[in-house]
Amino acid sequence: MTERPNVTAPWWSSATVYQIYPRSFRDSNGDGIGDLAGIIEKLDHLVTLGVDAMWVSPFFASPQQDFGYDVSDYCDVAAEYGTLHDAQLLIDEAHRRGLRVLFDLVLNHTSDQHPWFTESRSSRDNQRADWYLWRDGRGADGRRRPNNWRSVAEITSAWQWCEQRRQWYLATFMPCQPDLNWRHPEVREAMFDAVRFWLERGVDGFRLDMFGDVMKDPTFANVGLRPHVATGLPRLFDRSTVQNTEDNVQLARDLRSVCREYDGVGSPVGAGPRSADRERVLIGELFGPAAELRRFSADGDGLQLVFLFDFLTMHYDADWLRDRIIEFERAFPEPAQPTYVLENHDRTRLLDRVGGDLRKARVMATVLLTLRGVPTLYQGQELAQSNTYIPLRDAQDPIVRTHLPWLPEAVNRRLPERLNRDEVRTPMQWNSSPNAGFTDPAATPWLPTNADRGTANVADQDRDPDSMLTLYRSLLRQRRAHPALHSGRLDLAPGAPAGTLAWVRSTGDEQILVAANLTDRSVQVPTGTANAELLVATAADVTIDDAATPAVHLGPQCAAVVLLSPAP
Ligand code: NOJ
Ligand code: CA
């Protein structure tokens, strides 16, 4: 693996991250459920792809009501995914290949089957009675909810009744996921110890689930009404008093201190000068405007990275994308890094978002991997896997079963966002066989494979120079090879025609132009030099012209990455 020249910046600042959803990545023992041994089997796919780090969604002990985001033991592995030994092997085998490993930390809530909650709910005066957020109800019988807080989906209240205690407990996500009381010193220590448990085993950092919600408003005051749209979803309430508060920013700093205990500790990752860099990284799942989220990583303290989810619900429109890029550049100026994401395990796949048009998905892959910042890919994105239609009645996703069992299927199909997250969690497609090489041919995968496995699979795309996989590999190779692309500044290029995005990435001695044509007509983007070299093109109809006005010519819906060299 090529080592990058810039060894002074921490490893994560020029990294690319690949998200693995373990249940759907690779099943090694034929039970239809992906597992840790399966991930280890496929690590070389990540190496060939050219990513630097993997973020593994939760595989900890869990009753799997929210497929791992409901943890019942933070320091153990769910039997269906493997053992602690497998988790250690995953870390070590990844490190041996030069890959960093991020695990997924669910801090806001546990499973309602976590022994902590079982004890907490048993009475009002047990050892862990205050480890969760219990409140008396209002009204003579206490059966009226303590306040008007809604769960994240906003369809139901966030308060759940417990007959044993005759009290309400808070569950911001779903009833089976009670919120921890992070103002309790013993809760903080128990959770920080779980963090240390994995840091000691060598993980390079964590993705932090629902991080902006962890610390609650201690006054428990009602929230006000403020109809608005956030990350593509309609919202009724103003969450500014309960989300992304200063207390949550402080928690980011505290968590970072825990990680700092381990910075520099542990065996090297791969070979080369960067192998000595053992800074542990924290990436927050946070929702809100970039300027608000920047607080979580200000002054080099707190989280190093926060997901900026606007691209997850992007508009395929040059003006819209340019406005977001300007906003992110302003909110996360160097040396801070924006964190771009087009797909994850919760939202519509990119190909579906761009109307099934592969040309557009190729343009967006180029945008993602050439912007300044840390890009995150979701398994299967490199193949342009699409959503798999699964009707609500067949949903395994608890969001559907808990909040939306009444929704007519016809309405569901017309919604711009997928409510049943199963549709984006179907197995990774390794080949074109009926089970897509995810599990044994005779096994039944936990979710069906997609019909697009005939073309959207690793084996076939590996050999095809025009495939999406080949494009992702080329983009990642160029990104790693060119300092301008992985750690240079970004300046929007003047003179780009309407409907086109163009920017220049540069370091002291290297300049690279990225031009993306999001229209149905051909365009020209000036290169300003007669000495330009095409590094990557998403289609054959890209040419470079070194005539009187040097330019890159782009056919409809395509993008190019061009090395600009000074005239000889
Ligand atoms: C966000 C995760 O991405 C999602 O999959 C999960 O269901 C919720 N947090 C609850 O932990
Ligand atoms: Ca399995």
Side-chain angles (χ1 to χ4, degrees), residues 26-36 38 79-81 438-439:
R26 162 74 188 149
D27 170 24
S28 70
N29 62 354
D31 65 357
I33 296 172
D35 43 54
L36 297 183
E80 60 208 305
Y81 296 139
F438 162 69
T439 183

Side-chain angles (χ1 to χ4, degrees), residues 300-485:
D301 207 352
L303 316 182
Q304 289 97 331
L305 298 168
V306 298
F307 281 119
L308 298 172
F309 283 127
D310 302 54
F311 271 44
L312 200 55
T313 53
M314 54 154 259
H315 299 199
Y316 186 80
D317 174 273
D319 292 338
W320 187 92
L321 291 165
R322 190 181 307 104
D323 287 349
R324 295 290 85 68
I325 294 166
I326 293 170
E327 181 191 347
F328 296 171
E329 281 289 311
R330 273 199 197 122
F332 290 82
E334 288 183 89
Q337 296 278 35
T339 307
Y340 287 92
V341 48
L342 286 170
E343 284 193 16
N344 69 16
H345 63 298
D346 291 330
R347 289 306 188 95
T348 293
R349 292 249 185 209
L350 170 64
L351 187 62
D352 291 80
R353 201 172 285 287
V354 295
D357 190 331
L358 274 169
R359 297 172 310 163
K360 295 181 180 175
R362 293 170 75 86
V363 167
M364 288 313 300
T366 309
V367 168
L368 175 74
L369 294 178
T370 58
L371 281 168
R372 193 183 70 80
V374 173
T376 305
L377 321 181
Y378 172 50
Q379 65 184 49
Q381 181 179 339
E382 74 275 34
L383 309 169
Q385 269 190 237
S386 54
N387 294 344
T388 304
Y389 173 55
I390 299 173
L392 293 177
R393 65 168 183 279
D394 296 336
Q396 302 202 34
D397 182 355
I399 286 197
V400 175
R401 296 202 322 268
T402 311
H403 296 306
L404 303 157
W406 42 265
L407 191 75
E409 188 59 27
V411 175
N412 174 42
R413 292 318 310 158
R414 286 192 178 79
L415 296 174
E417 295 297 327
R418 300 315 335 126
L419 298 177
N420 176 7
R421 297 174 298 173
D422 295 355
E423 297 191 26
V424 304
R425 297 173 174 180
T426 56
M428 173 76 180
Q429 296 166 181
W430 299 102
N431 60 42
S432 60
S433 69
N435 279 344
F438 162 69
T439 183
D440 287 357
T444 307
W446 80 283
L447 285 175
T449 53
N450 194 312
D452 72 4
R453 65 180 179 274
T455 51
N457 70 73
V458 175
D460 288 326
Q461 293 200 9
D462 178 58
R463 295 186 286 266
D464 177 359
D466 298 323
S467 71
M468 189 63 85
L469 180 58
T470 302
L471 175 67
Y472 269 92
R473 285 176 179 166
S474 320
L475 287 164
L476 286 161
R477 193 168 47 247
Q478 296 296 349
R479 189 182 165 93
R480 189 173 277 173
H482 292 278
L485 285 178

